[in-house]
Amino acid sequence: MSTELSRRQFLAGATAFAFGSAVFGLPRRAFADDAQAGSAIVILHTNDVHCAVGEADEKGATPLGYSALASYVADRKSVFGSGNVTLVDAGDAVQGNVMGTLTQGQALVDIMNSTGYDFVIPGNHEFDYGMPQFNHLVGSASATYLSCNFTDKRPEVPTLMFAPYAIQSYPLTGGGTARVAFVGVTTPATLTASSPKSFWRSDDDHTCVYGFCEDDTGAALAAAVQNAVDQARTAGADYVVLLAHLGQEGSPDIWRSDALAKRCRGIDVIIDGHSHQEYVQVKQDAEGKNVIITQTGTQFSSVGQVVINPDSGTISASTPAFEATLLREARKSGDPAYVQEATFGRDASVQDVINKKVADVKAQTGTIIGKSEVDLYAFEDDDYTWAVRAHETNLGDFVTDAYLYYATNAGVMADIAFVNGGGVRANLNSGDVTKGDLINVNPFNNQLCYTSVSGQDLLDALELSASSLPESSGDFLQVSEGLEFVIRTDIDSPVLRSGSTFVGIDDTKERRVRRAKLHGKAIDPQAAYTLVCHSYYLVEGGGSYSMLCKNPVTLLGLDNDALMEYVQLNLHGVIGQEYANAAGQGRIATQVGPDPVRKPDPDPEPKQPETQPPANDASDPKPLAPTGDDGTLKAASAAVAAAAAVGAAAVATAHAKTEDERA
C-alpha cells in the first residue's frame, strides 16, 4: 500500500483538500480523531523548511510557517495532553534564503526555539556555514540533536558526535507509559552535498576528519542504524521512529530511505527529508514487516503527523498534499497557491520573533539594485517543483552569465561559467530587484573563482550533470552563453560512481551529452578552457565534480556580489527581454532517440552526357545525411569521400556543412 500525491494533483482539486495517508489496521483517514485523546501519541514533523518562516510575501499572503505550527501544536496538546505531543524536524532548516545567509542560521534556530521543537537532526545544509558555526547553532538550540552515523574519525575508534537515539515516555490512560525511541540519521551524501571543507582537517590538509558511515554499498549506514535501533529496543523502547535526512528521488540508491527500510528491522516509522517530496508510504523491512515512510515536501508546503495508539496497537501517518490543511487553512480567493487564514490562528509570541527577524533582514537588504522586465524562474509554474535542477531556465542563464561577466570585468578572459541547480534557490520576479532578492537567488555566499580545465574534463562534467535525468538533481549544471549541447535522455548514463563520488565514465557505453560546442566550435578534449564557478566545485570537489579541481584556482568575489554587479554594470540596471523565455536561450537541449536520418534528395533528371560533370567533380557533392551518431557520420563521410574521390579540402567542406545542419 502506497500513497503519493503531487502538487499538481492537489491544485486540480482546488477547493477540495487531498490527503496522503497510510494506516496499519485502521480505515484510511487524514489525522487522528479527537476521540483518541488520552490514548494516542502524536508526533508532528517538518523537514527541509529552508528558512521559509512564514513571513508575508509580496502578494500580501501569509503562508504556513512557524507561528501557525506553534498554534496547532498547542491545539493538539489541549486535545491529547501536553505530555502526548512531540514536535520534530528532519533537517535543512537553517539555510535557504537571505535570513539564513545574514545570520548564518542563528535566526532560524531562535525561531525554532520559540516554536518548541523537541528533537531535530542535522541535514546536509546545517553544515553550510562551517563546523564552528554548526557547533554554535547546536549549542544554542533548545531541541536535542540526534544522529547514529555522524562521526568524528580522528580518534582510533570513530566517535559519534551526538547521541544516536533518545527515548520519550508517554502516559497511558490505563496507567503506565509507552516508550518511543527517536533515532537520527543523516545521508552520507552530506560529504559532497554540503561544503566539503566543513569536514576537512584544515584548508591546507584536505583529510576528511568527519564521516557519516559512508561506503560503496550502503551496508555501513544500515549497520549504524540497526545498531542504534537494537540499542533502543534493548533499553525498553516500545516503538522506534527514525528521523532521517535521506530522501528518495535524486538520492544515491544505496542511501535512500526506502532502501534503508528494506535492510533493517525493528523500525516502525521513518520520518524522512532531503528529497523535497511529499509522501506517505508503506514498505517492508528485512523481516517483511510494515514500515511507514513519510516526508512533507519543502519550505513549509505541509506539516506531517504520526499517530501511535498503544491501546489499539495502530500507527498512522498523514500529510496534507502540499497544502496546510493540517491547520484547516483556507486558500486565498482567486489564488490557490497562497493561504489566507487559519482556523487555529498564529501564535503571537512566535510571530513576534519572526517579525523582528524579518525587519532586521529588510533593514540590511532593502537597497534597490535595478529592475527586471521579466520573471526569472528557479521553479516550475507550480511554484514548488525545481525547474533549475532538471533543465535550462532563464534564471540559470542569468546567473551563469553574471559569473562569466564578473570574471571579465576583473580582466579574466574566461570561456565558460557553471552553476549547480542546487545553488539557485529562488525565483526573481519582475519589478524592482533588491539586494535581498539577489542574495535569495544565491544565498550560500559561495566564493567564485576560476581555473583551467581540459576539454575532456568539461565533457565529463557535463556528462555527470546529465546523469540523473529525468530525475532532478541539485548537481545539474546551468551554463553560460556560448556553450550549447544536447542530452540523450533515453539511454543509460555511463557515469560510474562509488556512493556519491565520481569514479569515471564507462567507455563501453554511449555518452548522453553530444554536440557540445562553444561559440559554434566543438569542445576539443585536448584543449584548455578557463572555467568560472564557485569554490564548492573548483576547490572542494562538491557534488562529485572532482574532475574540475585538478588545477590551482584564482579567487574572485562572492556569487551574489556577481549578480549585483552584473545587473548594475553590464545590464545597466535592467534585466531585459533577452531573458524573457522561461526555458532559457536554448543552451541545453534534450533529445529522445538518435537524430532522424534524412533521405537524400532524388537524383535529378538525366542530362545530356556532354553537360554532366565528371564523377569526381566536387562542385556538386552528394549531401551527407545528418544523424545523432558520430560513428554513422564518420562512415557516411568516408563513403562520400571514397565515391567522390575528391581532395581533403572538399571532404572537410561537406563535413562542416553537415555539422551545421546537425546543430
Side-chain angles (χ1 to χ4, degrees):
M1 174 181 174
S2 176
T3 302
E4 301 184 43
L5 297 174
S6 70
R7 183 176 179 84
R8 292 186 186 276
Q9 288 172 319
F10 171 80
L11 293 177
T15 59
F17 293 143
F19 297 94
S21 68
V23 183
F24 297 161
L26 287 178
R28 179 186 171 96
R29 64 200 310 169
F31 298 103
D33 241 316
D34 288 359
Q36 293 179 299
S39 62
I41 298 164
V42 177
I43 303 167
L44 303 177
H45 59 94
T46 56
N47 61 269
D48 298 277
V49 172
H50 285 294
C51 302
V53 298
E55 61 185 282
D57 64 16
E58 72 279 357
K59 298 183 181 181
T62 304
L64 172 62
Y66 287 110
S67 63
L69 173 61
S71 181
Y72 187 71
V73 170
D75 176 84
R76 296 294 83 188
K77 287 183 176 181
S78 70
V79 173
F80 292 91
S82 60
N84 284 60
V85 179
T86 298
L87 179 60
V88 302
D89 183 79
D92 279 9
V94 303
Q95 171 280 332
N97 69 21
V98 64
M99 182 182 290
T101 301
L102 292 182
T103 68
Q104 291 197 302
Q106 187 62 58
L108 288 308
V109 171
D110 294 342
I111 293 170
M112 292 177 74
N113 286 346
S114 69
T115 306
Y117 278 85
D118 298 291
F119 301 109
V120 299
I121 63 169
N124 54 294
H125 286 297
E126 260 69 39
F127 299 97
D128 285 350
Y129 306 115
M131 195 61 69
Q133 180 64 9
F134 170 76
N135 290 332
H136 174 77
L137 295 177
V138 170
S140 65
S142 299
T144 299
Y145 274 77
L146 301 170
S147 179
C148 71
N149 72 313
F150 176 33
T151 60
D152 183 340
K153 299 193 292 186
R154 285 171 291 189
E156 234 178 87
V157 178
T159 304
L160 286 174
M161 296 294 291
F162 300 118
Y165 67 90
I167 295 180
Q168 184 85 356
S169 295
Y170 300 88
L172 300 176
T173 53
T177 59
R179 292 161 59 83
V180 178
F182 294 90
V183 177
V185 60
T186 299
T187 177
T190 296
L191 291 173
T192 55
S194 182
S195 175
K197 70 178 181 181
S198 295
F199 311 108
W200 293 348
R201 189 182 303 277
S202 68
D203 286 343
D204 296 326
D205 182 352
H206 295 183
T207 302
C208 196
V209 296
Y210 297 96
F212 294 87
C213 297
E214 62 280 356
D215 69 358
D216 294 343
T217 65
L221 180 69
V225 171
Q226 189 62 63
N227 184 51
V229 171
D230 291 345
Q231 289 180 22
R233 291 287 186 182
T234 300
D238 301 303
Y239 303 93
V240 173
V241 175
L242 188 68
L243 302 182
H245 197 79
L246 298 175
Q248 294 183 13
E249 182 178 301
S251 298
D253 290 344
I254 58 176
W255 297 325
R256 288 169 56 119
S257 57
D258 47 359
L260 181 71
K262 294 177 182 178
R263 302 180 81 153
C264 295
R265 63 186 184 281
I267 300 171
D268 297 297
V269 179
I270 299 177
I271 292 174
D272 201 11
H274 188 51
S275 57
H276 296 192
Q277 297 170 274
E278 181 172 342
Y279 46 67
V280 181
Q281 306 168 338
V282 176
K283 303 295 183 180
Q284 281 67 51
D285 69 6
E287 297 178 338
K289 296 179 180 178
N290 285 338
V291 181
I292 288 179
I293 309 176
T294 180
Q295 187 182 173
T296 66
T298 184
Q299 294 189 326
F300 256 130
S301 55
S302 70
V303 172
Q305 181 165 277
V306 172
V307 179
I308 300 172
N309 193 326
D311 290 349
S312 61
T314 58
I315 303 174
S316 65
S318 309
T319 66
F322 304 108
E323 202 275 337
T325 52
L326 171 59
L327 304 182
R328 314 297 200 271
E329 295 203 7
R331 288 190 172 277
K332 187 176 180 181
S333 176
D335 188 0
Y338 291 90
V339 171
Q340 185 177 33
E341 60 183 1
T343 302
F344 292 105
R346 297 179 183 274
D347 183 278
S349 62
V350 176
Q351 191 61 49
D352 184 56
V353 173
I354 292 172
N355 292 343
K356 289 178 179 178
K357 302 294 184 185
V358 170
D360 288 344
V361 168
K362 288 184 176 178
Q364 298 180 64
T365 62
T367 304
I368 294 177
I369 301 299
K371 68 177 182 178
S372 180
E373 296 178 344
V374 299
D375 293 324
L376 295 102
Y377 295 95
F379 296 97
E380 303 289 4
D381 57 11
D382 61 4
D383 288 327
Y384 179 82
T385 306
W386 289 109
V388 77
R389 300 183 183 204
H391 58 81
E392 179 185 350
T393 77
N394 56 356
L395 183 57
D397 289 356
F398 166 78
V399 170
T400 50
D401 290 350
Y403 291 1
L404 189 68
Y405 276 88
Y406 192 57
T408 301
N409 296 340
V412 179
M413 298 304 293
D415 298 300
I416 298 169
F418 287 161
V419 68
N420 57 315
V424 181
R425 307 297 290 199
N427 289 347
L428 189 62
N429 296 322
S430 58
D432 288 340
V433 175
T434 67
K435 179 179 179 181
D437 292 332
L438 294 175
I439 293 176
N440 280 336
V441 171
N442 274 176
F444 294 97
N445 275 351
N446 277 321
Q447 177 78 56
L448 289 182
C449 50
Y450 64 92
T451 190
S452 177
V453 296
S454 71
Q456 187 60 64
D457 286 333
L458 280 178
L459 294 172
D460 288 351
L462 295 178
E463 199 66 45
L464 178 60
S465 170
S467 63
S468 293
L469 294 178
E471 287 191 359
S472 65
S473 169
D475 292 312
F476 179 81
L477 295 175
Q478 300 286 327
V479 304
S480 58
E481 64 178 12
L483 180 60
E484 298 177 1
F485 55 94
V486 175
I487 302 172
R488 280 280 301 273
T489 58
D490 60 313
I491 59 177
D492 291 337
S493 171
V495 170
L496 300 173
R497 287 185 174 89
S498 173
S500 60
T501 302
F502 175 79
V503 174
I505 305 292
D506 184 347
D507 291 331
T508 66
K509 293 183 178 180
E510 281 190 89
R511 286 183 176 243
R512 285 183 147 196
V513 174
R514 40 261 323 273
R515 303 200 294 282
K517 296 181 178 181
L518 181 62
H519 301 301
K521 295 183 179 180
I523 297 290
D524 180 357
Q526 304 304 317
Y529 297 87
T530 299
L531 171 67
V532 181
C533 193
H534 39 60
S535 59
Y536 172 59
Y537 275 4
L538 302 190
V539 176
E540 303 169 40
S544 302
Y545 284 93
S546 56
M547 76 291 288
L548 299 180
C549 53
K550 295 178 178 179
N551 294 318
V553 305
T554 301
L555 300 181
L556 296 166
L558 299 181
D559 51 4
N560 42 53
D561 285 341
L563 306 188
M564 296 177 205
E565 181 174 300
Y566 182 56
V567 172
Q568 293 178 309
L569 181 62
N570 301 97
L571 300 182
H572 306 292
V574 180
I575 303 172
Q577 295 301 313
E578 66 269 31
Y579 293 108
N581 189 340
Q585 298 175 0
R587 303 171 186 182
I588 306 173
T590 56
Q591 175 177 306
V592 176
D595 292 347
V597 178
R598 192 181 70 186
K599 293 182 179 179
D601 294 333
D603 291 333
E605 291 293 329
K607 298 179 181 179
Q608 296 296 324
E610 62 270 20
T611 62
Q612 290 179 342
N616 64 348
D617 191 337
S619 64
D620 186 25
K622 183 177 179 180
L624 302 181
T627 76
D629 186 272
D630 290 342
T632 303
L633 180 60
K634 291 176 182 177
S637 299
V640 172
V646 296
V651 175
T653 301
H655 184 73
K657 177 183 177 183
T658 303
E659 284 294 300
D660 290 340
E661 293 173 349
R662 291 169 62 213

